[in-house]
């Protein structure tokens, strides 16, 4: 019975830590870049686009496709960075817990 009570206490503790982690992730902001810094996007921790900064040299009529590709690449770069930070924070939080491989946290 003590083991169950101890485990329940650990579950509550983990739940509180996970809620705090989710709050931290929501406040996180990362920049993604492409084209050697010609396009920069800012994303929140959930991958939502917050802002775009485009170097004026890219504003030429015949370069529209290149600009569109650079925006997509910058967004992917930022999202990958946000996911890497989230994964690292989650790994730190769950260190030592028997979590099945491939299970993604936070839910």
């Amino acid at each position: 019975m003590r083991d169950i009570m101890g485990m329940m206490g650990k579950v509550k503790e983990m739940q509180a830590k996970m809620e705090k982690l989710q709050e931290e992730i929501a406040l996180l902001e990362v920049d993604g870049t492409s084209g050697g810094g010609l396009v920069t996007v800012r994303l929140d921790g959930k991958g939502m686009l917050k802002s775009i900064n485009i170097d004026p040299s890219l504003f030429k009529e015949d370069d529209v496709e290149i600009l569109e590709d650079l925006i997509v690449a910058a967004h992917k770069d930022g999202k990958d960075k946000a996911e890497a930070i989230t994964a690292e924070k989650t790994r730190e939080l769950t260190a030592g817990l028997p979590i099945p491989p491939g299970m993604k946290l936070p839910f």
Side-chain angles (χ1 to χ4, degrees), residues 11-84:
V11 167
K12 283 190 176 267
E13 182 181 321
M14 176 60 76
Q15 185 178 16
K17 286 181 181 180
M18 190 60 71
E19 287 173 7
K20 184 175 184 239
L21 176 63
Q22 287 174 337
E23 290 172 10
E24 287 177 23
I25 290 169
L27 296 174
L28 181 70
E29 288 194 357
V30 294
D31 290 334
T33 60
S34 65
L38 294 174
V39 175
T40 302
V41 297
R42 180 160 288 223
L43 302 154
D44 67 17
K46 297 188 180 214
M48 297 299 295
L49 185 63
K50 305 291 275 181
S51 66
I52 298 175
N53 185 352
I54 302 170
D55 189 280
S57 68
L58 292 173
F59 290 109
K60 298 177 186 166
E61 286 184 36
D62 55 342
D63 290 342
V64 172
E65 283 185 43
I66 293 171
L67 179 57
E68 291 169 346
D69 290 344
L70 289 172
I71 291 170
V72 170
H75 184 271
K76 181 183 179 328
D77 180 54
K79 190 163 182 170
D80 290 346
K81 288 177 182 176
E83 288 174 357

Side-chain angles (χ1 to χ4, degrees), residues 71-106:
I71 291 170
V72 170
H75 184 271
K76 181 183 179 328
D77 180 54
K79 190 163 182 170
D80 290 346
K81 288 177 182 176
E83 288 174 357
I85 292 169
T86 299
E88 179 59 31
K89 288 181 176 280
T90 302
R91 213 174 1 264
E92 291 171 6
L93 178 68
T94 60
L97 291 177
I99 296 176
M103 183 174 178
K104 290 186 94 176
L105 295 174

